[in-house]
Amino acid sequence: MMKLTAEISMYPLHDNYLEPIRWFISRLDSYPQIVRRTNAMATQVQGDYAELMAMLATEMQAAHEKFGKAVFVCKFIGGELNLSHSE
């Protein structure tokens, strides 16, 4: 089973931007097989490649349907990274 680590940032295109971001992050937490870490700049998620990509597709679509226009910026790297690492 191939693993994937992704970093995602959501930029809702309206004034009340924190509500959609918090909603999106809480939706990611509903997937027990996905590991999530969030900091002030972005959210990192990690799990099985296919499951993670399916989750992101589902939840980005749900966010667009609920809140309208939003920009998602993502970075992907194959494999598992230590999400607790810092220097």
Side-chain angles (χ1 to χ4, degrees):
M1 171 182 319
M2 184 168 180
K3 298 291 185 178
L4 178 67
T5 301
E7 180 174 273
I8 185 166
S9 297
M10 178 184 186
Y11 301 96
L13 299 180
H14 51 82
D15 291 338
N16 183 17
Y17 62 91
L18 287 178
E19 177 190 350
I21 292 170
R22 289 181 180 135
W23 178 88
F24 183 76
I25 291 170
S26 73
R27 299 271 299 201
L28 300 183
D29 286 339
S30 71
Y31 295 80
Q33 71 278 24
I34 303 297
V35 174
R36 177 193 61 83
R37 299 282 186 276
T38 297
N39 61 43
M41 296 287 293
T43 294
Q44 291 85 32
V45 287
Q46 189 173 78
D48 172 72
Y49 196 105
E51 290 176 1
L52 187 60
M53 292 299 285
M55 176 198 72
L56 290 175
T58 297
E59 298 307 330
M60 287 190 295
Q61 180 178 344
H64 284 131
E65 288 172 350
K66 183 171 178 72
F67 296 104
K69 293 183 179 176
V71 175
F72 287 92
V73 177
C74 301
K75 294 188 277 187
F76 301 95
I77 185 166
E80 290 182 305
L81 298 179
N82 178 356
L83 298 180
S84 300
H85 177 77
S86 65
E87 287 188 24

